[in-house]
Amino acid sequence: MYHLDIEDHTARRTSADRVFVALQDAIVRGELPPGARLGETELAERFGTSRGPLREALRRLEARRLVERTPHVGVRIASLSYASLLEIYLVREALEGMAARLAALYMTGEEVAGLKALLANHEQDEALQADTAYFQQEGNLDFHYRVIHGSHNTALTELLIGELYHRIRMYRYQISAYANRPQKAFGEHQRIVEAIEARDEDLAEMLMRRHISSARQNIEKHMKENP
Amino acid sequence: MYHLDIEDHTARRTSADRVFVALQDAIVRGELPPGARLGETELAERFGTSRGPLREALRRLEARRLVERTPHVGVRIASLSYASLLEIYLVREALEGMAARLAALYMTGEEVAGLKALLANHEQDEALQADTAYFQQEGNLDFHYRVIHGSHNTALTELLIGELYHRIRMYRYQISAYANRPQKAFGEHQRIVEAIEARDEDLAEMLMRRHISSARQNIEKHMKENP
DNA sequence: GCGGGTCTTATTGTCGACAATGTGGTTTGA
DNA sequence: TCAAACCACATTGTCGACAATAAGACCCGC
């Protein structure tokens, strides 16, 4: 699995940093469900630290909008509404379209090879496994992360991975944007890679925008069926 | 002046929140120059609080990438390299182009009227004042903020205003992206508003992208002249 | 029985002190 | 004279206790 975060895991981490990473992971993995209240004392005990570092970690999660805080009351896991999710997908369409364009322009041959290898791997898995939901979802993330990194634009990468994707991942089990169309999404991935390999930046951007737009429409359909 | 921040100033603010806003303002206004070291004890005394709330504020600033922290050493005001600034402008081009498109689609008549009034105001000021640098820059921000809000997309607004603009504003006095072309930029603003008023979303996006692209190229030119 | 008000209590906000770590200067040896 | 090791200092990281605030329970009056 490609590295799923941009945090620096090598440096001597402080207690607040450990708690931040652990809490973010717990939230994104769904272990702590949206709307759940987070007591400071309870969390401090759970992570084996005091309330000081814990509060610093909560402030950072608040800045990433993974938790919502009301003064003198406490923090809750942020709950993403359908409307907010669709907004994020619109932004994703613009940003990842740009990322695909830049990837077609600046990705190294090595990176392209890795991307192709990833898709080949997915093809194998898909042929083997009937229940592809989870792996497909993780593999889907891996694909997108590689394209984003391939843009070689740090600001863009930090915005997409550091801001938007954490929020989206919170809901991957609920929404499962690709659940209804795994093989379709896989085909789209292949065409995007072909465009990147051909250094066709216009096509790469267009295909990526369509790809994400399809996922968004899938969510909208899902939204109409389930209130 | 249109509100320049998305923070909630009405709620009963806690000490850490006050420090966060004050520090962010001091950084963005250039009072604390990039690269300057921030001693916790000194800052705590300056803002009349203890180190606890101050550290929470620093964590939030760290998440916004306004300060850089190295464990057991301290925090410094983030220094934006020219390369990073150009990256941000590329992202701005994509995001604000999208914002202009959405503004053309969803801005209310009232908002459009406010935007036109703002431009009329700028025209007056520009005719009166020879030294338009500061006001033009502030007015320029006001214009862009209005268009962004006009998109009625919260995720997009928070990304642009909450993440990118603070970093850009840190450097407005140094780079003065519009210094060499105030009247040109003003004309571009007018055409963008015209496109929005005509509900021509394609044109609005294109003009906004060109507008920001021009600013970026101006910075690049400035970069080549000044090492 | 129900609405309003009060009080208790649990939780958050804040503070000062102590421990741990990095930095810079000093000293000592080659 | 220079380099490396050592040491003292300042600064950050962490902790526990106290104060302030809001939520909920309880009581009283209607």
Side-chain angles (χ1 to χ4, degrees), chain A residues 37 40 51 55 69 73:
Chain A
R37 184 165 153 21
E40 294 184 359
R51 279 180 55 220
R55 282 173 63 88
R69 186 180 71 93
V73 174

Side-chain angles (χ1 to χ4, degrees), chain B residues 171-223:
Chain B
Y171 278 68
R172 70 185 149 165
Y173 294 113
Q174 296 186 38
I175 60 174
S176 56
Y178 297 86
N180 299 337
R181 50 188 209 93
Q183 74 288 353
K184 182 164 180 286
F186 177 71
E188 290 170 1
H189 285 186
Q190 274 189 314
R191 289 188 193 168
I192 291 171
V193 172
E194 287 169 12
I196 290 175
E197 191 178 17
R199 304 300 180 185
D200 188 339
E201 66 266 22
D202 289 330
L203 184 61
E205 172 167 359
M206 194 191 79
L207 290 177
M208 181 63 90
R209 291 185 83 113
R210 280 193 191 173
H211 175 58
I212 294 172
S213 180
S214 296
R216 193 194 73 237
Q217 289 166 18
N218 199 41
I219 294 174
E220 285 181 350
K221 195 182 72 181
H222 191 273
M223 181 176 89

Side-chain angles (χ1 to χ4, degrees), chain A residues 97-127:
Chain A
M98 174 182 167
R101 165 179 294 273
L102 294 179
L105 289 172
Y106 304 125
M107 233 182 180
T108 68
E110 207 171 351
E111 287 172 327
V112 175
L115 202 48
K116 291 174 70 176
L118 179 74
L119 283 199
N121 216 15
H122 286 180
E123 201 165 21
Q124 294 267 339
D125 285 359
E126 200 168 23

